[in-house]
Amino acid sequence: MESETDFEENVRRTLANPQNQGEMADADTVGTVGSPDCGDMLRMWLKFTEKDGQKVIDRASFQSFGCQTAIAVASMATEMLKGKTVEEAANIDSNELSAPLGDIPPMKIHCGQMVEGALKQALSQGDASTKAEEIPAPQGNTLLGDFHASTSGKVKVVPIESE
Ligand code: FES
């Protein structure tokens, strides 16, 4: 019998107690993406605050309509993002987000990319230079319209409109 890899064990442990799962009612922004590879979807909400004159992520939460790896990466990512400035968050890639889980198998790489895509999509909804209090409230159906090339080249995800 094949033994469980470190990655599988870490995913299983994370799923036993996933963090920050669920919609965030008072979020400042939300990003929703889907993977053409598997048809899964992931949504990430961000709430900003101001610290030492900089806009930082106060809280992040997610909802995943997808596989266990995406849930595990999103759980880790939403913890990792707390306290990060918008610039720092924008520079995090899927490798970094999934690193706490160990060596991600090639066929699961897109799961982490979906989390990165949702994060970038959420960040792209607000101007990174604005102060926390100037961030516009999430707009119901503008996700698709606001999507721009910054996330489409590297991450194989597509934006999905909010309902
Ligand atoms: Fe598609 Fe994991 S298999 S997100």
Side-chain angles (χ1 to χ4, degrees):
M1 194 179 109
E2 230 177 86
S3 67
E4 194 177 51
T5 64
D6 286 351
F7 174 80
E8 288 164 345
E9 188 185 336
N10 289 334
V11 168
R12 189 171 48 74
R13 283 207 186 130
T14 306
L15 290 176
N17 185 24
Q19 304 295 303
N20 312 308
Q21 215 171 355
E23 188 173 343
M24 191 191 293
D26 61 342
D28 291 315
T29 184
V30 57
T32 307
V33 292
S35 167
D37 289 343
C38 63
D40 291 343
M41 271 178 63
L42 193 123
R43 182 168 291 166
M44 186 180 287
W45 288 265
L46 299 175
K47 179 79 184 164
F48 299 106
T49 188
E50 205 165 325
K51 194 176 161 206
D52 302 329
Q54 280 192 303
K55 191 165 92 174
V56 300
I57 294 174
D58 185 33
R59 285 176 284 129
S61 77
F62 75 98
Q63 231 175 26
S64 172
F65 311 95
C67 78
Q68 301 194 326
T69 301
I71 294 170
V73 174
S75 171
M76 296 279 184
T78 48
E79 282 293 291
M80 195 188 288
L81 289 170
K82 286 179 191 168
K84 293 249 188 293
T85 65
V86 169
E87 289 77 11
E88 286 168 344
N91 286 323
I92 296 178
D93 65 14
S94 60
N95 292 333
E96 244 175 293
L97 294 175
S98 55
L101 295 171
D103 288 338
I104 193 162
M107 63 180 294
K108 291 287 178 186
I109 287 174
H110 79 274
C111 314
Q113 289 176 332
M114 207 164 66
V115 179
E116 179 190 343
L119 169 63
K120 302 269 160 86
Q121 174 69 9
L123 291 172
S124 77
Q125 303 303 305
D127 175 359
S129 64
T130 55
K131 298 253 189 259
E133 63 270 21
E134 295 167 354
I135 298 164
Q139 305 286 310
N141 288 314
T142 60
L143 287 175
L144 192 60
D146 288 354
F147 185 69
H148 55 74
S150 67
T151 54
S152 65
K154 189 168 121 218
V155 183
K156 211 172 175 188
V157 295
V158 292
I160 309 277
E161 290 189 52
S162 297
E163 69 277 350

